Structures are given as C-alpha cells and as structure tokens.
Amino acid sequence: MRRKTIQWINTPVLSEAIFRYQKGLLPNSMKLWLEQVLEINHKKSI
C-alpha cells in the first residue's frame, strides 16, 4: 500500500498542535506526526 503524502494542513489545527507539542500535551502519535511534518529532529537526552 502506498503512503499518502500531505497536500495541505489546516492552519488552526497545526497551530494548536504546535502549542500542545511545546507544552508536552500531545499523544505520542500526534507528536511523531508533527515532528515529521515540521521536520523536527527530536532526540532524547540520556
């Protein structure tokens, strides 16, 4: 099955996701999605 590419993103939804990401309130699946969309390289510190 081919993976779908994102064609557009609702700006208010993206803004809210960024806000919640910064506060640490996103579920892991949404966090990973946002990191992929914004090309964030998030590496956990040891």
Side-chain angles (χ1 to χ4, degrees):
M1 181 177 264
R2 288 179 37 182
R3 185 175 179 158
K4 293 182 181 180
T5 57
I6 298 172
Q7 295 182 6
W8 62 272
I9 300 171
N10 185 320
T11 303
V13 171
L14 185 58
S15 297
E16 184 66 21
I18 292 169
F19 174 77
R20 291 184 185 193
Y21 180 86
Q22 292 173 332
K23 298 291 183 184
L25 301 174
L26 278 181
N28 195 44
S29 60
M30 280 293 292
K31 181 180 171 187
L32 294 174
W33 171 80
L34 187 62
E35 289 174 351
Q36 182 180 7
V37 167
L38 299 179
E39 298 178 353
I40 297 172
N41 293 325
H42 185 271
K43 295 182 180 179
K44 294 181 181 179
S45 301
I46 297 176

